[in-house]
Amino acid sequence: MFQGRSFLKTKDFTTHEVEYLIDFSIHLKDLKKRGIPHEYMKKQNICLLFEKTSTRTRAAFTVAATDLGASPEYLGVNDIQLGKKESVEDTAIVLGSMFDGIEFRGFSQEMVEEIAKYAGVPVWNGLTDEWHPTQMIADYMTVKEEFGELKGRKLVYCGDGRNNVANSLLVAGAKLGVHVTIASPEELFPEAALIKEVKEMAKETGSKIEVTADIDAAVVDADVLYTDVWVSMGEEDKFEERVNLLKPYQINRELVEKINGDYILLHCLPAFHDTQTEYGQMIEERFGVSEMEITDEVFRSKNARQFEQAENRMHSIKAIMAATNGHLFIPKI
Ligand code: CP
Ligand code: NVA
């Protein structure tokens, strides 16, 4: 059952449950486009707790909660006592006594798990250093919208192979029967224990999991190319090391020309595809690199679906909140 559960990592959910969330997201998107109300969380109060910055996740939770009839309230970490003047446990008990559900984005996975332990209401992980589970529903929803089905499709993730997005793509892909290849330098391969665990999960769905440094060979039969920033939030001291390691893993024209057949391009965003950001300018000045994980040309190409994917964050976060905390009947899945 979904009701009353937290959404902390994809691993906690079965294949059928993840599939249900994707299909429910597509349904809610259709209701929204047709102007059909879906206030499954009427009169609820939803806490949006952010230790790290966000555009999409914050906006998606805010709009989704409002569409569901709930009232969202943003609490930035600098506005509240969390961790500095009050323990995580005490904060979770207090917030859980007032709010009907809590979104948390922060550094440690342990913290979101601890909030869920003490809050007594569903807690949704809006990203930690380890996992980005709400992103996965939007990502595979976007793939399903494009190709009609997920099983047997191949997703190739190029770049930092051990970040929250790469970890999450592996787990969700294995659960959904999607073949997932991580193409990254060996220094940034996913943890061996995770690869082993994901390969076990993949046995049940027929998904093929591959980790390789050979990006050119990896992309040839890709249906989906995916990339993320080279330096994640909290790692800002690592730009030099990552630029050097990841330059050969950039998604650019030369790389996409190696793909046989149709493909789409995904990026969880924000992206460094030009120098229109402070970081983008700094990287150009320091290293002479004006485009990082993806070139501007490919970012703007006809294959790009990152803005559809971004919109889908809202529909899928709505599905996750409604399934776990809404007034609706979901048969046992
Ligand atoms: N993709 C994503 O999580 O975006 P934000 O950091 O803007 O929320
Ligand atoms: N890996 C990125 C994802 C941002 C949505 C980060 O953690 O900064």
Side-chain angles (χ1 to χ4, degrees):
M1 290 298 285
F2 276 109
Q3 272 90 357
R5 280 173 79 184
S6 289
F7 194 76
L8 304 175
K9 51 188 187 308
T10 316
K11 248 189 246 183
D12 301 338
F13 289 79
T14 65
T15 292
H16 291 310
E17 287 169 340
V18 178
E19 285 171 345
Y20 171 83
L21 288 174
I22 292 169
D23 291 342
F24 189 30
S25 307
I26 292 170
H27 170 69
L28 289 172
K29 182 173 181 175
D30 178 55
L31 293 187
K32 169 95 175 175
K33 301 280 174 199
R34 290 194 287 139
I36 299 172
H38 39 279
E39 296 188 326
Y40 302 126
M41 288 172 57
K42 223 175 161 102
K43 296 210 182 297
Q44 290 195 21
N45 291 293
I46 300 303
C47 173
L48 309 181
L49 186 52
F50 281 83
E51 261 192 319
K52 290 176 174 172
T53 54
S54 165
T55 298
R56 276 143 293 273
T57 309
R58 176 177 175 178
F61 268 99
T62 304
V63 174
T66 308
D67 282 355
L68 288 166
S71 303
E73 175 66 22
Y74 176 81
L75 302 181
V77 74
N78 295 324
D79 309 329
I80 65 166
Q81 326 282 19
L82 179 71
K84 282 195 280 295
K85 279 177 65 182
E86 192 163 26
S87 69
V88 176
E89 177 179 341
D90 293 359
T91 306
I93 293 169
V94 172
L95 294 179
S97 72
M98 299 186 196
F99 289 99
D100 300 290
I102 301 169
E103 179 277 352
F104 174 78
R105 164 173 288 199
F107 294 89
S108 89
Q109 181 68 21
E110 289 70 31
M111 191 180 285
V112 74
E113 308 259 353
E114 198 179 349
I115 295 171
K117 184 171 166 198
Y118 293 109
V121 295
V123 173
W124 305 293
N125 178 358
L127 177 147
T128 61
D129 290 348
E130 218 172 316
W131 303 112
H132 197 1
T134 66
Q135 179 78 49
M136 293 305 109
I137 306 301
D139 293 355
Y140 286 108
M141 169 188 179
T142 312
V143 178
K144 186 160 189 178
E145 285 180 326
E146 185 73 27
F147 296 107
E149 87 295 320
L150 290 167
K151 223 173 161 54
R153 294 288 165 181
K154 180 175 175 182
L155 181 146
V156 181
Y157 171 94
C158 310
D160 176 7
R162 36 133 304 282
N163 74 12
N164 40 19
V165 170
N167 290 345
S168 305
L169 284 168
L170 279 170
V171 172
K175 290 214 174 242
L176 291 164
V178 176
H179 307 315
V180 180
T181 299
I182 302 290
S184 74
E186 279 178 32
E187 294 86 335
L188 297 173
F189 274 3
E191 300 226 342
L194 177 66
I195 301 170
K196 190 163 168 258
E197 196 180 349
V198 167
K199 283 190 172 169
E200 273 308 307
M201 287 179 200
K203 280 184 192 159
E204 296 191 9
T205 60
S207 149
K208 282 189 236 124
I209 301 295
E210 204 192 334
V211 178
T212 177
D214 187 350
I215 184 171
D216 292 347
V219 301
V220 171
D221 54 351
D223 297 301
V224 181
L225 270 200
Y226 196 121
T227 190
D228 185 12
V229 289
W230 288 349
V231 168
S232 288
M233 288 180 272
E235 302 183 324
E236 286 77 7
D237 58 332
K238 291 192 163 47
F239 270 113
E240 183 166 9
E241 169 197 317
R242 293 292 167 76
V243 168
N244 291 331
L245 277 173
L246 288 167
K247 256 192 282 183
Y249 293 85
Q250 183 189 60
I251 297 188
N252 52 37
R253 189 209 292 226
E254 205 188 340
L255 184 75
V256 297
E257 281 179 353
K258 297 194 164 75
I259 303 173
N260 290 325
D262 283 344
Y263 68 94
I264 61 166
L265 192 101
L266 297 182
H267 191 312
C268 54
L269 302 177
F272 292 113
H273 56 96
D274 56 24
T275 51
Q276 303 295 310
T277 58
E278 283 174 24
Y279 280 129
Q281 278 168 24
M282 183 268 284
I283 294 301
E284 185 179 41
E285 277 160 27
R286 282 182 59 193
F287 311 110
V289 171
S290 59
E291 298 158 310
M292 284 193 262
E293 69 273 12
I294 183 164
T295 59
D296 197 52
E297 179 189 21
V298 177
F299 187 83
R300 296 175 191 279
S301 71
K302 66 177 178 26
N303 304 76
R305 296 289 181 278
Q306 68 275 12
F307 292 117
E308 287 82 352
Q309 179 188 7
E311 179 193 323
N312 285 342
R313 295 295 310 288
M314 197 283 284
H315 306 297
S316 52
I317 280 171
K318 190 185 284 178
I320 293 162
M321 285 198 291
T324 52
N325 222 20
H327 314 298
L328 78 175
F329 173 69
I330 306 171
K332 198 168 183 323
I333 294 165

